[in-house]
Amino acid sequence: MLTVTMAIRRLTPTPRAVDWGLFAAVAKLLGTGVATIFAGTPDSAWIIDVHALSGVLLVLLLPVKLRRVSHRVSPSRLTGIRVLSVGLAVVVLGALGTGVWWIFGGTLDLGPWGLFHLHVALGLLVPPLLVVHLRSRFHSPTQATRGGRRDVLRYAGLVTAGALLWRVQGPVNDALDSAGADRRYTGSREDGTNNGNRFPVTSWVADNPEPVDGADWSLSVAGRVASETSYATDELSPDTTESAILDCTSGWYSGHEWQGVRVGDLLDAADPDDAAAWVQFRSVTGYRWSLPLSEARDAILATHVDGERLAHGHGYPLRLVAPGRRGFQWVKWVESVRVSKRRELGEWLAIFVSGL
C-alpha cells in the first residue's frame, strides 16, 4: 500500500501545478462547452474531443486536490469560504458525473428538462463559484512552474492517460449496447430519425407561440432586393427535397428528408442587390437568425418532413433547414426573409428574449 502511495505521489504534479491544471481544465470545459453550441459539421469535431479530454483531465486531477484539502473541511475548521469551496466541489462533481452518465447512455426525467440540461446547468454554475473561490485562494501562476520538467512530464502522462480513457469509452458503450453507443460526434443521441413529426419538440429559451393559422399567414421576402415579395401558404410549392440531420443542443439528433422551397429560388425572384451579404430568417415570435448569402441560397424553407406536413411544434407552416448548423439556428414558424448588407447584432439578444 505504501509503495502504491509513493508511486502516485511521484506521478502527481506539485500542488500549485495541480491547482492551475484544474483551472485550465475548467476554462477549457467552459470555452469548448459554449463552442459546441455552434459545432455542427465534422470538421469541428475536435471541439467536442477537447471538451471531453478536459473533462477526463479534471476527473484525474480532482481526487488529488480533494485528498490534499480534505482535512480542512472538518466541522471545527469550516469557515464561510470553505463552505463555498465545498459547494464548488459538489457542483464540479455533479457536472462531471452527469457528463459521464450521459456518455454511457444515462437518462433523467426532470419534466421539460433532462440529464443533458442538468449537466449544462451545473457546468455553467462552476465559473462564478470558481471566481469567488479564487478571491481567497489565488496563487501566482509562477508557483505552478516550480516543478519544472518533472511536472511537464507528469502532465504529458496525464493527458495521454486521459486520451486513452476517452478512447476506451466507445468500445465500452458498444459492448454494453448502451444508449450512448449511437452518439453523434457532437455528443447528441439519435431520436426519431425518418419518422415524420415524431421527433422531440424543443424550443430555444421561451419560444412557444399559439398555432399559426395558415389562412392568415404569409411569407415576406424584403430588404436589399429589387422586388419585395409576399407569399401565401398555397403559393409555396414544396418542390425541393433535402436530406439533413437536425442536431439539437438539447442532446439529440434526428435525420429526415425535408421538403420545401429552396431559399435560392426565393432570392432569385426578389433579385438581391450587389451589396447584399446576409439573409435573416425571422419567426412569428421575433426569434431570428442570419446566414451568409451564399449559404442561405442552399438552405430550404421546409413545409414537410418525411412526406408529412410540419406539425406546429416543428415550425408549421415553415421552418428553416440549414444543414451543418445546430438546431437553434433552424428557425421555426418563419414569416420573413430579409436580405441585408450587415448582420443584425440584435438577433443575439432576440434569441434569448423572443417569446417572453
Side-chain angles (χ1 to χ4, degrees):
M1 183 69 178
L2 183 60
T3 304
V4 174
T5 302
M6 291 177 63
I8 291 175
R9 286 178 179 174
R10 287 173 183 163
L11 295 172
T12 302
T14 56
R16 295 298 165 248
V18 168
D19 291 345
W20 278 100
L22 287 168
F23 179 82
V26 169
K28 285 184 179 179
L29 283 167
L30 178 63
T32 54
V34 172
T36 59
I37 297 175
F38 302 93
T41 56
D43 61 1
S44 59
W46 65 270
I47 297 173
I48 287 83
D49 288 338
V50 172
H51 185 76
L53 185 56
S54 299
V56 175
L57 187 60
L58 195 60
V59 168
L60 294 174
L61 288 175
L62 195 57
V64 177
K65 171 73 172 180
L66 294 179
R67 183 176 182 275
R68 195 180 85 220
V69 301
S70 59
H71 67 282
R72 300 176 186 170
V73 296
S74 60
S76 61
R77 302 189 64 182
L78 280 180
T79 62
I81 191 62
R82 286 178 179 171
V83 170
L84 183 140
S85 297
V86 171
L88 172 61
V90 170
V91 171
V92 170
L93 288 170
L96 286 173
T98 51
V100 172
W101 192 8
W102 175 264
I103 287 172
F104 288 100
T107 58
L108 186 64
D109 186 2
L110 298 172
W113 311 109
L115 177 61
F116 191 82
H117 298 95
L118 179 60
H119 170 67
V120 172
L122 290 171
L124 292 175
L125 267 178
V126 171
L129 290 175
L130 182 60
V131 168
V132 178
H133 172 78
L134 288 176
R135 289 182 63 186
S136 62
R137 299 292 181 186
F138 180 81
H139 298 281
S140 171
T142 58
Q143 297 183 32
T145 62
R146 290 179 178 177
R149 188 177 65 175
R150 288 186 178 182
D151 273 349
V152 172
L153 293 174
R154 288 164 179 161
Y155 264 108
L158 285 172
V159 171
T160 301
L164 290 174
L165 283 173
W166 173 239
R167 288 300 178 188
V168 165
Q169 59 82 27
V172 170
N173 265 316
D174 291 338
L176 297 175
D177 194 24
S178 71
D182 67 353
R183 294 192 333 277
R184 203 165 178 247
Y185 63 86
T186 57
S188 297
R189 303 198 301 229
E190 188 279 328
D191 194 342
T193 292
N194 297 326
N195 200 16
N197 283 289
R198 287 162 291 282
F199 60 96
V201 175
T202 58
S203 291
W204 184 261
V205 186
D207 267 11
N208 186 28
E210 293 294 324
V212 177
D213 185 347
D216 295 332
W217 172 91
S218 64
L219 173 71
S220 66
V221 181
R224 300 194 71 106
V225 296
S227 176
E228 295 192 355
T229 316
S230 180
Y231 300 89
T233 306
D234 57 4
E235 294 178 312
L236 295 171
S237 177
D239 54 7
T240 298
T241 299
E242 176 80 36
S243 293
I245 292 175
L246 172 58
D247 194 328
C248 184
T249 50
S250 293
W252 57 268
Y253 75 88
S254 196
H256 299 277
E257 187 175 80
W258 307 86
Q259 299 87 36
V261 181
R262 182 174 172 270
V263 175
D265 293 339
L266 296 176
L267 295 177
D268 289 341
D271 190 17
D273 64 30
D274 293 339
W278 290 88
V279 180
Q280 183 185 82
F281 302 88
R282 186 181 181 113
S283 169
V284 298
T285 66
Y287 189 103
R288 48 198 183 271
W289 195 261
S290 296
L291 299 177
L293 180 63
S294 57
E295 181 183 352
R297 283 188 169 278
D298 293 328
I300 73 169
L301 289 170
T303 58
H304 293 71
V305 55
D306 298 329
E308 298 179 4
R309 195 71 168 89
L310 279 177
H312 166 66
H314 293 311
Y316 173 86
L318 214 58
R319 84 168 298 160
L320 177 65
V321 173
R325 296 277 182 163
R326 297 303 294 273
F328 78 95
Q329 296 164 309
W330 290 36
V331 184
K332 296 194 285 188
W333 311 295
V334 176
E335 66 172 2
S336 169
V337 175
R338 188 166 190 83
V339 182
S340 62
K341 181 178 180 179
R342 296 181 181 85
R343 185 176 190 178
E344 181 200 342
L345 296 179
E347 68 188 22
W348 290 91
L349 174 62
I351 64 174
F352 291 101
V353 300
S354 61
L356 293 176

